[in-house]
Amino acid sequence: MEAVPRKTTIREVAQAASVGIGTISRVLNSSSQVSRETRARVLEAIRRLGFRPNAQARRILKRRTEMVCFLLSNRDFLHPFHARILQGVESYATSLKQHVLFAALHYSPRTPPDRIDLPPVLQEHGLIDGLILAGTIYPNLLRRIESIRMPFVAFSNNVVGMGEEQQYDQVGFDDFNGTLQATRHLIGKGHRQIVFAGDISYPWLHHRFEGYRQGMREHKLKPALILARNAQSFVDFGQKSAGRILSRRPRPTAVVAGNDEIAYGLWRSLRQQAIKVPDDISVVGFDDREEALLMDPQLSTVRVHKEEIGETCMKMLLERLHHPHMAFSQRILPTEFVIRGTVCHL
Amino acid sequence: MEAVPRKTTIREVAQAASVGIGTISRVLNSSSQVSRETRARVLEAIRRLGFRPNAQARRILKRRTEMVCFLLSNRDFLHPFHARILQGVESYATSLKQHVLFAALHYSPRTPPDRIDLPPVLQEHGLIDGLILAGTIYPNLLRRIESIRMPFVAFSNNVVGMGEEQQYDQVGFDDFNGTLQATRHLIGKGHRQIVFAGDISYPWLHHRFEGYRQGMREHKLKPALILARNAQSFVDFGQKSAGRILSRRPRPTAVVAGNDEIAYGLWRSLRQQAIKVPDDISVVGFDDREEALLMDPQLSTVRVHKEEIGETCMKMLLERLHHPHMAFSQRILPTEFVIRGTVCHL
DNA sequence: ATAGGGTGTGGAACCAGTTCCAAGGGTTAT
DNA sequence: ATAACCCTTGGAACTGGTTCCACACCCTAT
């Protein structure tokens, strides 16, 4: 590997501006103890020499890298949902001159914590200050991160199997109230036979199911859960659940889908059977993903503010870095029901 | 901000193992000049003290950060297409113990190069070794990056207005041959009245149009370009182009859409008018995005290997870093026509 | 005239690694 | 016995910033 040409250093700048190296440092860090004329002379020298300070050297002393890692776990690819969380992290981070490293990790929930093979960023120290965990998070990963004492914030909706003890910082959105609102909306439109379609072995779908149950209970309606066997994907789940929904008696007039992909699959399958949405049956989704707008009519669904989740994660991580001994906190961001075209008035 | 606890240093390890600091460094870098017993004693001390070397300190001397930046320009959000390129970059980078920083940038093509406000990563030096440019790339951005002498590789399909001089490294995929293959496929299935739908003011759509033209020319068929006015998005463009396609005489039997979103909009609009795809009219797309699989029947389209683009960008950037004076290179990755359900045999 | 205070500045020491040279010790060749 | 050589090893010097202490200088108060 060829040598990288040496760059200008503060010593050279100091010489060029006829000042000491300390003064250069003071100008760079805009600590005010520099006279106007000296500052001007230094800035001129910096400009003339094209000097850009070396970030590495500063960090040794500061013991801060101003860099955080966005770690995406167990996702085959960077779904739009997580991509937008990442963008939220990035834009907020950039506004505070923090940098965001992107890394992916694949691990099994059954691997013992100390045998999880972390990405290289987490193996050295002094590379990042903290971590934002996204993707599916199992307890063994949390244990592992704790063992290397890396401060972190978890996107909590995809945390699996952690019980109720919350010994870490987390940011999530409100699954429960999302479907609760959606269910209330359907009831308000006169629907009574409302079913929920989704695989509630996923904790987040379970929370959504609970919101739906609560909505039904409020009006003394009987909740019903529709499952599909051997679904290959959420879209497939939606398609496969169509038959089960249509064969129920009395026939449901509305479906609360566990997410937009299920709603999409359901919609497609209904359309093939010449059942009209919303005239014959109403459908609502959850997440407000791209699919919601691609449907025809567009899907009424629960909006999740993905960028805001990212921003909040970053904000909370920075607080943690500034106050390592602060109590752990948990933030649940509100969700919002978006009325589009897939719900009819009975 | 509270102080970060001091970590173990090589000097402490050296003391614990009763050797000199040089020896610790030699063990860490597995340069062979260390006797077996000494190495064992050092490794034992490292383990006992839980020593992890500080990445920052090493980098000052090595003048390499083993970090690259993926810079996404002028995108409102991280589309699945670019998200997958990023994943390709990340997975290849990780396998070589390189790190990937994610940053976004919004700029106008009319801003003078020296007034483009680069993200913080590019303002300091010693933070990253090189850059991968994705998103829409205008000449002023390229000039700006060149001016700070940061080695870079550009994802070339979205480069706008650069003429033919290629004074930088680039990786792209083959727009021209993609539609050429798609067009040949349609002709092979007996289609003769084939139109192209897309806004060719985008350079990449123009290249696709040229591929279509070439395919038509090979069989002495007359090409036709369908445009739509005031389209809000590609999907909208597809929807609006449906009317213009159907009103042509003789009526086209097949449409080459500039991308999958246009194909999706077109499909949706045709369906609303009870025109069947592919029975009444065949449609092919380009990109093989998620939408292609959400259509019914699934869209025949041109597949682009997005992860491979990312991997190739990373590979090329590393070559550039190892050989700064190497001639610039340009790689065009092949595309591949995927047969699904939207083309019928005439 | 002298003491006291604040401001501005220079530069040694420092951070946590790497590099390189000198030197110790053992082995083999003359 | 001496020279020549190789293998290990220690540690000073170095990288490029930040920090902090000492000190010069000016202004005001006694």
Side-chain angles (χ1 to χ4, degrees):
Chain A
M1 196 180 300
E2 297 187 30
V4 176
R6 278 188 69 265
K7 295 281 167 69
T8 320
T9 72
I10 53 163
R11 275 160 244 266
E12 295 170 73
V13 178
Q15 184 133 56
S18 318
V19 297
I21 54 167
T23 302
I24 306 297
S25 180
R26 280 184 284 267
V27 170
L28 289 176
N29 295 286
S30 45
S31 72
S32 50
Q33 304 289 66
V34 182
S35 72
R36 183 160 316 138
E37 311 91 77
T38 311
R39 155 165 284 122
R41 213 163 67 244
V42 169
L43 289 175
E44 165 58 20
I46 287 176
R47 208 194 48 68
R48 202 170 66 242
L49 298 175
F51 169 74
R52 271 151 72 226
N54 183 308
Q56 243 69 44
R58 179 171 61 245
R59 288 174 182 179
I60 295 185
L61 281 286
K62 295 260 170 148
R63 294 221 170 74
R64 272 269 138 67
T65 63
E66 287 152 352
M67 203 160 335
V68 304
C69 175
F70 180 90
L71 182 62
L72 181 68
S73 303
N74 282 3
R75 298 286 155 165
D76 286 337
F77 70 101
L78 182 50
H79 296 268
F81 195 97
H82 281 90
R84 294 184 65 174
I85 294 179
L86 171 58
Q87 283 228 306
V89 171
E90 192 276 339
S91 74
Y92 186 70
T94 299
S95 74
L96 296 171
K97 300 230 178 274
Q98 301 280 319
H99 312 295
V100 180
L101 239 145
F102 172 73
L105 169 68
H106 292 268
Y107 71 105
S108 154
R110 286 176 304 280
T111 305
D114 55 330
R115 300 202 32 226
I116 294 177
D117 199 22
L118 294 176
V121 220
L122 295 169
Q123 284 171 24
E124 293 176 296
H125 98 250
L127 234 166
I128 54 171
D129 295 332
L131 195 58
I132 291 170
L133 284 177
T136 315
I137 303 167
Y138 296 100
N140 58 341
L141 180 60
L142 289 174
R143 297 274 144 64
R144 180 60 205 272
I145 302 296
E146 281 161 2
S147 79
I148 60 168
R149 306 200 181 195
M150 178 65 72
F152 71 96
V153 172
F155 165 52
S156 63
N157 288 70
N158 293 4
V159 171
V160 178
M162 278 304 285
E164 291 308 311
E165 4 90 64
Q166 260 103 34
Q167 295 305 311
Y168 53 96
D169 291 307
Q170 45 186 299
V171 176
F173 58 84
D174 198 340
D175 282 314
F176 182 89
N177 275 301
T179 37
L180 175 54
Q181 279 180 65
T183 307
R184 282 178 182 159
H185 176 80
L186 288 169
I187 293 171
K189 291 285 181 187
H191 293 271
R192 291 296 174 268
Q193 302 297 327
I194 309 171
V195 298
F196 181 94
D199 177 354
I200 60 169
S201 67
Y202 293 92
W204 54 100
L205 289 191
H206 190 81
H207 295 146
R208 292 173 191 184
F209 178 61
E210 291 298 334
Y212 153 79
R213 284 231 303 212
Q214 169 72 17
M216 296 298 273
R217 202 178 307 134
E218 286 174 358
H219 292 81
K220 310 247 187 297
L221 298 172
K222 207 164 157 252
L225 174 64
I226 304 290
L227 291 171
R229 277 177 199 279
N230 303 321
Q232 303 298 305
S233 65
F234 285 125
V235 173
D236 191 38
F237 187 102
Q239 293 191 128
K240 288 187 169 142
S241 60
R244 287 165 181 258
I245 290 168
L246 295 176
S247 61
R248 277 184 77 88
R249 292 292 170 273
R251 196 165 112 175
T253 63
V255 183
V256 176
N259 63 32
D260 288 355
E261 291 165 277
I262 294 172
Y264 187 93
L266 176 59
W267 167 72
R268 195 155 102 175
S269 187
L270 291 172
R271 201 167 46 67
Q272 280 173 344
Q273 299 173 51
I275 312 259
K276 284 196 173 129
V277 174
D279 306 347
D280 298 329
I281 193 164
S282 296
V283 175
V284 299
F286 202 117
D287 283 348
D288 196 21
R289 293 175 45 124
E290 290 205 327
E291 285 91 330
L293 293 175
L294 291 177
M295 284 171 56
D296 182 25
Q298 296 186 336
L299 181 66
S300 294
T301 188
V302 177
R303 176 174 294 161
V304 177
H305 299 275
K306 300 146 198 97
E307 282 83 359
E308 195 189 339
I309 293 170
E311 188 176 320
T312 308
C313 285
M314 187 67 206
K315 205 176 279 181
M316 201 180 274
L317 181 55
L318 290 174
E319 278 170 31
R320 167 64 52 212
L321 294 175
H322 284 76
H323 309 288
H325 304 297
M326 189 178 67
F328 292 114
S329 68
Q330 186 181 10
R331 283 204 47 189
I332 301 296
L333 300 176
T335 48
E336 169 194 340
F337 186 69
V338 183
I339 298 170
R340 295 207 184 93
T342 54
V343 174
C344 76
H345 200 304
L346 276 196
Chain B
M1 195 179 302
E2 296 189 29
V4 175
R6 278 189 70 267
K7 295 281 166 67
T8 320
T9 71
I10 53 165
R11 271 159 249 265
E12 295 171 70
V13 178
Q15 185 132 58
S18 319
V19 296
I21 54 167
T23 304
I24 307 297
S25 180
R26 280 185 285 267
V27 170
L28 289 176
N29 295 285
S30 45
S31 72
S32 49
Q33 304 290 65
V34 182
S35 73
R36 183 159 315 139
E37 312 90 78
T38 311
R39 154 167 283 122
R41 211 163 69 243
V42 169
L43 289 175
E44 163 59 18
I46 287 176
R47 206 195 48 69
R48 202 171 64 242
L49 298 175
F51 170 74
R52 272 152 73 228
N54 182 308
Q56 243 68 43
R58 180 171 60 249
R59 289 174 181 179
I60 294 185
L61 279 286
K62 295 261 168 149
R63 295 222 170 72
R64 271 271 137 64
T65 63
E66 286 151 355
M67 203 159 336
V68 304
C69 174
F70 180 91
L71 181 64
L72 182 68
S73 304
N74 282 2
R75 299 283 156 168
D76 286 337
F77 70 101
L78 182 51
H79 295 268
F81 195 97
H82 281 92
R84 295 183 64 175
I85 294 180
L86 172 57
Q87 282 229 305
V89 171
E90 191 277 337
S91 75
Y92 186 70
T94 298
S95 73
L96 295 171
K97 299 227 177 276
Q98 301 280 318
H99 312 295
V100 180
L101 239 146
F102 172 73
L105 169 68
H106 293 268
Y107 71 106
S108 153
R110 286 176 303 280
T111 306
D114 54 329
R115 299 201 32 224
I116 294 177
D117 200 21
L118 294 176
V121 220
L122 294 169
Q123 284 171 24
E124 293 174 296
H125 97 249
L127 232 167
I128 54 170
D129 295 333
L131 195 58
I132 291 171
L133 284 177
T136 315
I137 304 166
Y138 295 99
N140 59 340
L141 180 60
L142 290 174
R143 296 277 141 64
R144 181 59 203 273
I145 303 296
E146 281 160 2
S147 79
I148 59 168
R149 304 198 184 200
M150 179 63 73
F152 72 97
V153 172
F155 165 52
S156 64
N157 287 69
N158 294 4
V159 172
V160 177
M162 277 305 283
E164 291 307 312
E165 3 90 65
Q166 260 100 37
Q167 295 304 312
Y168 54 95
D169 290 308
Q170 46 185 299
V171 177
F173 59 85
D174 199 339
D175 282 314
F176 182 90
N177 275 298
T179 36
L180 175 55
Q181 278 179 66
T183 308
R184 281 177 182 160
H185 176 79
L186 289 170
I187 294 171
K189 291 286 182 187
H191 293 271
R192 293 295 174 265
Q193 302 299 327
I194 310 170
V195 298
F196 180 94
D199 176 354
I200 61 171
S201 67
Y202 293 93
W204 54 99
L205 290 190
H206 190 80
H207 295 145
R208 293 173 190 184
F209 178 61
E210 291 298 333
Y212 154 80
R213 283 232 304 211
Q214 169 72 17
M216 295 299 274
R217 202 178 305 133
E218 286 174 358
H219 291 82
K220 309 247 187 296
L221 297 173
K222 206 162 158 257
L225 174 64
I226 305 290
L227 291 172
R229 276 178 201 278
N230 305 321
Q232 303 297 306
S233 66
F234 285 126
V235 172
D236 191 39
F237 187 102
Q239 292 192 130
K240 289 188 169 142
S241 62
R244 287 164 181 258
I245 290 168
L246 295 175
S247 61
R248 277 184 77 89
R249 293 291 171 273
R251 198 165 109 175
T253 63
V255 183
V256 176
N259 63 34
D260 287 355
E261 291 166 276
I262 293 172
Y264 188 91
L266 177 59
W267 167 73
R268 195 156 103 174
S269 187
L270 291 172
R271 201 167 45 69
Q272 280 173 341
Q273 300 173 52
I275 312 255
K276 284 195 175 131
V277 174
D279 306 347
D280 299 328
I281 192 164
S282 296
V283 175
V284 300
F286 201 116
D287 284 345
D288 197 22
R289 292 174 49 124
E290 290 204 327
E291 285 92 328
L293 294 174
L294 291 178
M295 284 170 57
D296 181 24
Q298 295 186 337
L299 181 67
S300 295
T301 188
V302 178
R303 175 174 296 160
V304 177
H305 298 275
K306 300 145 199 96
E307 282 84 359
E308 196 189 339
I309 291 170
E311 188 176 320
T312 309
C313 284
M314 187 69 205
K315 204 176 280 180
M316 202 180 271
L317 181 55
L318 290 173
E319 279 170 32
R320 165 67 51 212
L321 294 175
H322 283 76
H323 309 289
H325 304 298
M326 189 178 68
F328 291 115
S329 69
Q330 185 182 12
R331 283 204 50 189
I332 302 295
L333 299 176
T335 48
E336 171 193 339
F337 186 68
V338 183
I339 298 170
R340 295 205 184 94
T342 54
V343 174
C344 76
H345 200 303
L346 277 197

